Amino acid sequence: MAADLKQGNEPYDDINITPMLDLAYVLLVTFIIMTTASVQGVKVNSPQTEAAGNLAKPQTRAITITEDGSVYLDAYPVTMEQLSQNLAQYKAANPALPVVLKADARAQYDKVMEVLERAKALDITEIGLVTKRAGV
């Protein structure tokens, strides 16, 4: 025990980095929690269905139509022209672009059809419709 004590002002040969690592881990966990909590979308009341599977794939783009007819692409409001332009850019980068369409149950049907027609014009064939499972 006496060998561990340094005499006077002698420098230590080692550095205890445990407190620094503890701080780094706490910061890492905090940043992970904050980034996952900040991912939000547009809240809509989806229609219900009996058989609903998970359509999430990497690079999936989400189109949301609210009850008042507003259109969002990945939680950003867009006009129909902007929607076509953005989808065309995504389609150029990924020819098998998967898209999910999430519309409010009370959304205007013509808006849903217009979005589907624009996707068809861009030759986007992987389109999923988001619903809620009945009883959930």
Side-chain angles (χ1 to χ4, degrees):
M1 183 107 180
D4 292 334
L5 297 175
K6 298 290 182 182
Q7 299 294 326
N9 289 334
E10 291 182 34
Y12 285 98
D13 294 337
D14 56 351
I15 297 174
N16 186 3
I17 62 168
T18 304
M20 184 176 62
L21 291 176
D22 289 343
L23 177 63
Y25 292 138
V26 168
L27 289 174
L28 179 66
V29 169
T30 303
F31 288 133
I32 290 173
I33 290 172
M34 293 304 292
T35 54
T36 56
S38 68
V39 176
Q40 297 177 354
V42 179
K43 182 114 171 107
V44 294
N45 183 17
S46 299
Q48 294 184 357
T49 184
E50 291 294 325
N54 188 0
L55 297 173
K57 292 182 181 178
Q59 298 182 351
T60 299
R61 298 296 168 191
I63 301 171
T64 307
I65 302 173
T66 60
E67 181 180 1
D68 64 353
S70 301
V71 179
Y72 295 82
L73 178 61
D74 294 333
Y76 297 105
V78 293
T79 63
M80 287 306 219
E81 291 76 28
Q82 292 171 334
L83 176 68
S84 294
Q85 292 171 357
N86 291 344
L87 286 177
Q89 291 174 354
Y90 294 138
K91 177 73 174 173
N94 181 8
L97 178 70
V99 174
V100 291
L101 178 59
K102 180 180 178 182
D104 193 283
R106 295 176 299 273
Q108 301 165 355
Y109 189 70
D110 60 335
K111 273 291 193 198
V112 175
M113 290 309 300
E114 187 176 355
V115 168
L116 289 173
E117 286 174 0
R118 289 183 183 258
K120 182 180 179 183
L122 293 170
D123 196 32
I124 297 174
T125 57
E126 291 191 42
I127 300 176
L129 300 176
V130 176
T131 59
K132 283 193 266 182
R133 288 189 182 171
V136 176

